[in-house]
Amino acid sequence: MASLKFLSIFIVYFAILLGFVNSQGLELGFYKKTCPNLEAIVKKAVADFVSLDPTLAAPLLRMHFHDCFVRGCDGSVLLNSTKSNKAEKDAIANLSLRGFQVIDAAKSALEKQCPGTVSCADILALVARDAVSLINGPTWEVPLGRRDGRVSVLSEATTNLPTPFDNFTTLKTRFGALGLNVKDLVVLSGGHTIGVSHCFSFGSRLYNFTGKGDMDPNMDKNYIAQLKTKCKPNDVTTTVEMDPGSFKTFDTDYYTLVSKRRGLFVSDATLLTDKQTRTYVSAQLSSNGSTFFEDFGVSMVNMGKIGVLNGKSGEIRKRCAFIN
């Protein structure tokens, strides 16, 4: 009996240890021996840019999101198009991404210290974390060990990325297909607390919601009036702050906006149409966002596990915009 009890304790302890390695083969401290200064090097590169331009944080976060939702978190969003292939980077949804120079700076610094060791996919995961942290957002431990993909296809980004026009059913299906749950959906939507959006991403809500020249009844009328002063019909150039007044700071205001029917996108408004997501929005309001930062870190880690390449799959790119 004693030996069985010891064996049970050992199994539980071993399972706890395995918690540091996820099902995709990622682990904390993956580069501990091969590139021990990795995280410090990446954080400095991010700080050098974001300290001068805090608006870079939002597209850097979105870049990681867009990478993971197409072919998994394999750095494919970083690849340039070639004469024979249009890459994800050139999809309409990715044309507003900025900050590729931050990834390149981090990669260049790492290649000097640890040549051929750290993947661009891992760099992107760390950059997203550090960019959020540098604008007063949360930080979290990032399991590492991703390898870089060799394929990037524009049409796959067009097909697989969530859109501002998605309703709840579509969003749930998109997230669920990648192993993310409804809580991940509502938590990661909170990333809209930073950044800007072009008017065309929500213009139909202001001017022609159902094709009859009407407004979206699920958006606050006073907010629509404000937005119309900035966005004219068919405006494809103007940008608007997604979280007016604090779009450069990562905070919990997004859920306040959603509750007031002032989220810019249909995909924001749809969070009030499902019981679970609506409850989460209300919980953040009643508790002043007490769990959001922690929840966001957890969901970012969950997202970072999607479809990763490891072992002998993929490669470690020498330059993030080009396959070896």
Side-chain angles (χ1 to χ4, degrees):
M1 292 293 292
S3 61
L4 286 175
K5 183 177 181 181
F6 174 79
L7 180 60
S8 298
I9 293 173
F10 175 78
I11 290 172
V12 171
Y13 178 69
F14 186 66
I16 291 172
L17 288 178
L18 284 179
F20 290 100
V21 182
N22 70 39
S23 61
Q24 299 296 331
L26 303 181
E27 60 182 289
L28 299 177
F30 181 83
Y31 298 100
K32 186 176 181 179
K33 294 182 178 179
T34 57
C35 196
N37 296 321
L38 160 65
E39 296 206 22
I41 292 170
V42 171
K43 188 169 186 177
K44 181 182 184 303
V46 179
D48 287 345
F49 286 91
V50 174
S51 62
L52 296 175
D53 182 7
T55 66
L56 279 174
L60 287 170
L61 172 61
R62 193 157 61 97
M63 193 184 297
H64 181 39
F65 182 94
H66 284 206
D67 184 42
C68 292
F69 267 69
V70 183
R71 287 189 170 266
C73 310
D74 65 348
S76 56
V77 74
L78 304 172
L79 287 171
N80 286 344
S81 292
T82 65
K83 290 182 179 180
S84 60
N85 177 67
K86 285 289 186 180
E88 293 170 33
K89 187 185 288 186
D90 289 329
I92 291 175
N94 287 332
L95 293 179
S96 59
L97 292 181
R98 297 185 297 123
F100 293 100
Q101 71 273 26
V102 181
I103 309 297
D104 292 340
K107 180 62 171 173
S108 178
L110 287 168
E111 285 298 303
K112 291 177 182 178
Q113 280 214 9
C114 322
T117 301
V118 182
S119 70
C120 298
D122 274 344
I123 292 171
L124 180 52
L126 290 169
V127 165
R129 188 269 310 271
D130 292 340
V132 167
S133 177
L134 285 165
I135 56 169
N136 300 323
T139 189
W140 57 91
E141 296 284 351
V142 179
L144 301 171
R146 301 167 187 82
R147 287 172 65 84
D148 296 319
R150 298 188 179 98
V151 178
S152 183
V153 182
L154 182 153
S155 61
E156 292 182 357
T158 302
T159 301
N160 295 319
L161 287 174
T163 79
F165 316 105
D166 286 347
N167 61 27
F168 180 78
T169 300
T170 300
L171 287 174
K172 183 178 180 181
T173 299
R174 289 187 189 275
F175 277 68
L178 298 174
L180 300 177
N181 60 31
V182 171
K183 183 174 182 180
D184 293 320
L185 190 167
V186 66
V187 169
L188 292 173
S189 295
H192 290 171
T193 188
I194 54 175
V196 298
S197 171
H198 284 87
C199 293
F200 65 76
S201 295
F202 58 89
S204 63
R205 303 187 74 195
L206 312 181
Y207 295 105
N208 196 27
F209 188 59
T210 65
K212 300 178 181 179
D214 54 341
M215 300 180 294
D216 184 351
N218 296 313
M219 180 179 268
D220 177 72
K221 291 182 179 180
N222 292 327
Y223 194 40
I224 288 177
Q226 291 179 31
L227 291 172
K228 282 184 172 181
T229 66
K230 300 177 181 180
C231 299
K232 302 307 177 184
N234 304 313
D235 187 336
V236 297
T237 57
T238 305
T239 58
V240 173
E241 298 173 9
M242 291 200 286
D243 185 351
S246 65
F247 76 107
K248 298 179 185 179
T249 303
F250 197 97
D251 54 32
T252 62
D253 288 351
Y254 169 77
Y255 296 107
T256 301
L257 291 172
V258 169
S259 70
K260 293 181 177 180
R261 300 188 299 128
R262 292 191 166 205
L264 278 184
F265 308 137
V266 169
S267 61
D268 296 324
T270 199
L271 298 181
L272 296 180
T273 66
D274 173 76
K275 181 179 179 180
Q276 186 176 345
T277 54
R278 185 170 61 248
T279 298
Y280 187 86
V281 171
S282 298
Q284 297 313 304
L285 290 177
S286 63
S287 65
N288 294 316
S290 63
T291 69
F292 173 53
F293 276 26
E294 180 180 352
D295 292 341
F296 192 78
V298 171
S299 288
M300 286 295 290
V301 170
N302 291 342
M303 184 185 76
K305 299 175 183 178
I306 296 172
V308 299
L309 303 173
N310 51 38
K312 295 183 179 180
S313 300
E315 64 183 12
I316 303 298
R317 286 185 217 138
K318 297 177 181 178
R319 293 184 296 168
C320 291
F322 305 91
I323 60 174
N324 293 341

